[in-house]
Amino acid sequence: LKLIFSDRAPFPSSQESSLSRDPRSKMMNWCRAPEPTPDENNFDAEFSEEEEAAADELSDWWFWGHSDSTVHPPPDVPSAKLFFATLPLKFHSDAFYAEFAQHILCPHYLDKKVQGTPAGSACPFAGGVAFTRHADIKKKLAEVPEQLVSGEATRRNELANLKLDPKVFPLTDIILLCGNVEMHRRLSPHIRALLNNPSMPDRDGWKKEAEAFLATCALKRRFKAKEEVGTWWFQMMWKYIIGITLTVAEAQEFGKFQSAWLASALTSAPNTFVDKLHLDNVTSDIWPLDKLLEVQVQYRKKIRAKLPDNVPEGDRDIVAQGILEVFSFGGISVPPTIHAAMAVLFRRDILLSPVEINEGNIEAFIYEVTRLFPTVQGFCYYKGNERQHLELAHGLRDPAVWGPDSHKFTLKDLDLYKKNHIGFANGAVAKSVNDTKECPGQHIALPASQGFILALAQWQPSKGKQLAYWAPKSVPRPGAVFNNWWMDFDVVIQDWMDGDQTGESLLAELGPIEMARLLQHIGHAHHKHSKLRALLGPSRDAEQNRYLGACNLATKMFFEITRGQYQELAMNHTSHEIDMTPPRKTDRYFELDFFGKTPTIRLPTQDGVAYRLRDEIMAKMRIVQGTEIDDSMDPSVRVTTKEDRLGAIMLVQQAYRRSGGKEPPPNSISRPDSYLPKAMSTFYDITTDDAQVAIAKCGMGQLYLKANKNEYLKAFGDVICDTGVLATLSVRPSFERLGAIAVFKRESNDKWTLTAIDWKHGDKVVRPGDHDWEHAKWAWRCSILTLLTAVNHLVQAHWIVANSLNVHSRENLGVHHPIRRLLQVVTYNTTTVNHASSLTLYPNGAMLTRLSPFPYEELQKAFVLGAESWKFQSLPEEYATVDLPEDIKSKLPFWQDGLEVYEAMRKFVEGYVDVYYPTDESLRACPELTKYWQFEHVQQYARQMPAISKEALVKQIARGMFDVTAYHEYVGYVVTYTTDPAGAVPQVRPGRNMTDIQEMLGVNGLVAGTGIPMPMFVPSGTAGDEEWLPILDITAGGQDPSKFKKVTDLYHTFMAKLKHISAEIAKRNAPGAGREMPFRNMDPVTFERSVSL
């Protein structure tokens, strides 16, 4: 028997899809935009063939063909299989169950029996006859109330199509809701009065109740779509019908009782049959009769005590029992309706995107849910001994009323629903209201379901500015049998989208339901990104996201390495500990030889068995990967349409999510819920011309701005942002050469306009409106990011500056040396970080080679460019070399904010050096500083150093401090540009204006390395982010304590100055202050104390 009911009958696969959608179907206010067209700026307008196949498979569960449908007729019934599957039931004393089981196993069983018969015909079914056509059912419903009054018809102890055991109804041996006319007349006035009491909420009131329920669920981050909504609804019925407030625990206990009561009422059927019906809240837990009746009496007494005084004493037990039956049987249609509505919203193969639920369409939406997924499928009564089955679910799909697409989910006119909906036995109205058989609670069920879905379909309240929404943990699945439409599923709060990444604003425009649908769609088995679906899932922890499908081995490995090196700030307990390692030569170095084109840079590496083993493993991994790079692209990772773009934005956010993270310091750009750092500024749409101006003036293009002195470009504007140097580097065959020069024209109001781009690969100047305009902007953005990352960030900030401060101070200066202590502050973890870069970025075949478009020898040329172009100069000296008019460069945020930060650092360093070295002579007398000043491991640094002096030392330390904090914030944090596939990456493919998923995941793996929480330069005092002043205390080394007192005063003055600068920067970044976008990279409170990857 278990096998019988766990395996549904097969259905032919050749039937036309019942869910295939015509995007031109009448959908009232459903679609928020005109019919989309399939280009890169719009959503896909139609399902793909694979999605159509998925829809066909889904439809076979319960969108079965109606007997009169010419579009989707019922398929053949697998008679032989049904015969043998139900054979054991044929030996039961009541033959009703055998035929009813065939109906359960094969939903179109009755339709096929009626097919081809004339209108008004019924078919033999389950000891009686069944009517499946809407006209017949509606006619019968209109007749039956008066027939019951006259005695021509009767009702028995049944619930819809199910026979009930009289033993569990002790007062009358029959469920009162289906009692005789006299009993019904005694009950009806009181039940209707209670169901229509003044406190009953309207739709807005139910929406508020649902919002309160969802807010409670958000605290635990999820809820069961069927189970917990059912518990909530028990609370609502008790509260508003009888005025009793149940706790969640009490409502759950009532749910157990209700399930046991219904299960016990059905025990006349075979147990397995009962179990496999899967009716809402029904379980196989059948209580002993005495326990069931005892608890029933307890609930009845509780209700009786709350009945209105106008209920006569002689009727109070009957009315209390009737209300208890309403709670247990009659009122349980709301949770499955809400459950089905959620399933529809979260499945794109039932309803085509885009979708928006609002006050204008919610009524029609819930009507359509109750039409295709009715909670009550049948209405039964007797004519003599003949059972009359009015198959409501069949009538709700009759094409004669609902149109040829009656098997599809499409919103229809409200008047059509109100006139023809029969899901609540509509039309079963008698002359006396107390004889009417229509559902007396439909005026509660419909608004309550509408209010709940409206509450679910809006942005959910969450902390900060986050836009939270609910989404299923997995795609809702059909139920095992047709009257149990959907399996229960978890709904999980998604509160990761708080506007701190580029691309999120585009996602937010979708609305919360479309967000949930997109989250499921990009992981759907038939979506074009299906090979990446293992990355997805609204509640998966990051450690579960280990399978990157179509991505190559290198991307997968780098993805894992990025997350594996992540460490909470609270774990960085050594950040405030004094390094007491005596000065000595490092045992091992990694030599960056640059093919001999520039002096070798030596990076110190960590020693010990564990570190050597790690290096060996990395070397073996590179051998496995090989140095040959396959740049072919799996079709599943391409990003072409707007929907692909939004899916890619969401996919990357999901891939790098993590759970259980600690809150970082208040001003840190690290996130507790992601490996990716926050973007200090974000773009709504990074592809617009205005966005390119913002990138040049306030973003990553500032270092490459210069006056336009190119004769062939002079007619287009005054200022250029020049990355043309990259055009000298050859690329692999799959890519275009990088390099582009953007030209900007200054307007009289100090605004800039992008007027032209010298696109080096195309060897032409492209203007707005030209065919290649979008592509030229894309190539320019990618060129800036590549130059910034490989040259300014990796070579100059990490390998030259940070490495020089780190290795030479630790090898040459004693543990109590004041300069070593000061440099320890800004070189925390630098050895580890730079060593990691040497393993994962520098070698041939390593990740940077794969992420870039360059063959390895050309990437080496980029490294050489960085090494040879680096200059030792103070920030004011560098500012003086910038080839721009003063009125332009003085307003560029990098310089306007950065010069103030640099000067504050210089003054602090100058005061600090004065404390310990009042004269040049005292400084030169220190042999340790003399050795330090040789900078033997970084000749690019050493060859530019003047003779050692206080002025030179102050300049060297101040610029070094600036470079590993402020400058690194600027050149290293490119997350603003990498979380949108239309943002920027190092590779440009011909004819494509967006990157692919593999490149996007790889680049963001590199970016995630910058998201590791590091100690803050302006400390917050949180764990791992303590004040760094104690590191400067060297009194234990014999220094005069008064010197540390001076250092302490300098430190506090320095911190106060940095906070003041931060406040001034905030004013400059305020809306209307003149900047095209906020620029926080030079905000001191965001600085970390040392470089991260």
Side-chain angles (χ1 to χ4, degrees), residues 656-728:
Y656 284 98
R657 285 186 68 192
R658 65 189 185 100
S659 61
K662 305 294 184 182
E663 282 292 334
N667 294 302
S668 172
I669 63 170
S670 298
R671 297 165 58 184
D673 60 347
S674 177
Y675 293 101
L676 294 173
K678 301 175 186 176
M680 293 188 181
S681 300
T682 62
F683 292 91
Y684 165 72
D685 184 352
I686 200 169
T687 67
T688 66
D689 289 5
D690 286 345
Q692 315 314 296
V693 174
I695 290 170
K697 289 184 70 177
C698 299
M700 62 177 175
Q702 293 178 75
L703 293 183
Y704 312 113
L705 288 172
K706 61 181 69 172
N708 183 9
K709 297 181 179 179
N710 297 302
E711 290 297 330
Y712 70 102
L713 295 176
K714 274 195 172 182
F716 303 122
D718 319 289
V719 180
I720 60 174
C721 186
D722 187 358
T723 62
V725 65
L726 291 178
T728 63

Side-chain angles (χ1 to χ4, degrees), residues 554-588:
T555 303
K556 298 174 185 178
M557 287 168 41
F558 191 62
F559 183 80
E560 292 301 322
I561 291 170
T562 298
R563 295 175 308 150
Q565 69 178 3
Y566 199 94
Q567 187 177 49
E568 295 287 359
L569 180 59
M571 300 297 293
N572 291 337
H573 54 85
T574 59
S575 66
H576 59 281
E577 294 180 359
I578 298 171
D579 181 8
M580 299 299 291
T581 306
R584 61 179 179 83
K585 293 294 183 183
T586 303
D587 292 327
R588 296 192 304 145

Side-chain angles (χ1 to χ4, degrees), residues 403-651:
D405 62 349
S406 61
H407 54 288
K408 298 179 181 179
F409 193 104
T410 57
L411 298 194
K412 300 165 176 58
D413 290 330
L414 280 174
D415 287 343
L416 183 65
Y417 291 117
K418 292 178 178 180
K419 181 180 179 182
N420 293 297
H421 201 292
I422 55 176
F424 297 95
N426 308 65
V429 179
K431 296 175 182 178
S432 169
V433 68
N434 294 327
D435 294 327
T436 291
K437 297 302 179 183
E438 269 191 344
C439 172
Q442 60 180 300
H443 71 285
I444 299 174
L446 291 172
S449 301
Q450 294 165 18
F452 191 98
I453 295 302
L454 283 173
L456 181 85
Q458 66 188 2
W459 293 114
Q460 303 299 308
S462 187
K463 58 185 178 179
K465 298 180 180 179
Q466 289 176 319
L467 296 174
Y469 61 98
W470 290 100
K473 182 179 179 181
S474 57
V475 178
R477 294 183 298 135
V481 290
F482 85 87
N483 62 323
N484 181 50
W485 301 113
W486 298 95
M487 303 294 286
D488 204 353
F489 55 89
D490 283 339
V491 188
V492 182
I493 193 70
Q494 297 288 320
D495 55 5
W496 53 270
M497 195 173 72
D498 54 6
D500 63 4
Q501 303 288 12
T502 293
E504 289 187 14
S505 295
L506 291 174
L507 284 175
E509 286 193 344
L510 292 177
I513 292 299
E514 274 302 305
M515 287 285 290
R517 289 159 68 88
L518 182 60
L519 181 63
Q520 293 303 314
H521 187 50
I522 57 179
H524 192 273
H526 296 282
H527 185 257
K528 67 184 297 181
H529 298 332
S530 61
K531 294 184 180 180
L532 301 173
R533 64 183 179 273
L535 282 170
L536 308 174
S539 66
R540 289 184 181 177
D541 292 336
E543 60 264 28
Q544 294 176 282
N545 297 332
R546 57 171 60 93
Y547 305 110
L548 278 70
C551 294
N552 59 35
L553 177 62
T555 303
K556 298 174 185 178
M557 287 168 41
F558 191 62
F559 183 80
E560 292 301 322
I561 291 170
T562 298
R563 295 175 308 150
Q565 69 178 3
Y566 199 94
Q567 187 177 49
E568 295 287 359
L569 180 59
M571 300 297 293
N572 291 337
H573 54 85
T574 59
S575 66
H576 59 281
E577 294 180 359
I578 298 171
D579 181 8
M580 299 299 291
T581 306
R584 61 179 179 83
K585 293 294 183 183
T586 303
D587 292 327
R588 296 192 304 145
Y589 299 93
F590 189 99
E591 296 193 347
L592 310 174
D593 59 22
F594 306 115
F595 287 7
K597 303 297 183 180
T598 189
T600 296
I601 295 176
R602 305 178 78 196
L603 303 176
T605 63
Q606 296 158 307
D607 206 8
V609 175
Y611 294 116
R612 289 178 181 270
L613 179 60
R614 177 195 63 181
D615 293 356
E616 288 298 321
I617 292 174
M618 293 295 294
K620 298 296 184 186
M621 289 168 65
R622 288 196 298 273
I623 293 174
V624 171
Q625 295 176 43
T627 57
E628 294 297 323
I629 300 175
D630 181 5
D631 291 317
S632 61
M633 186 196 309
D634 190 297
S636 68
V637 302
R638 289 177 181 160
V639 178
T640 304
T641 67
K642 181 178 180 180
E643 183 183 39
D644 292 343
R645 180 183 178 187
L646 296 177
I649 293 169
M650 181 177 282
L651 188 148

Side-chain angles (χ1 to χ4, degrees), residues 248-270:
V248 172
E250 289 171 335
Q252 290 171 338
E253 285 303 311
F254 180 78
K256 294 176 183 177
F257 159 75
Q258 183 268 345
S259 298
W261 191 4
L262 183 51
S264 298
L266 297 174
T267 52
S268 59

Side-chain angles (χ1 to χ4, degrees), residues 238 242 299-307 323-324:
W238 280 81
I242 203 64
Y299 281 122
R300 188 167 65 240
K301 287 181 177 180
K302 195 171 185 177
I303 294 170
R304 190 184 194 279
K306 297 290 288 185
L307 290 176
I323 292 297
L324 185 59

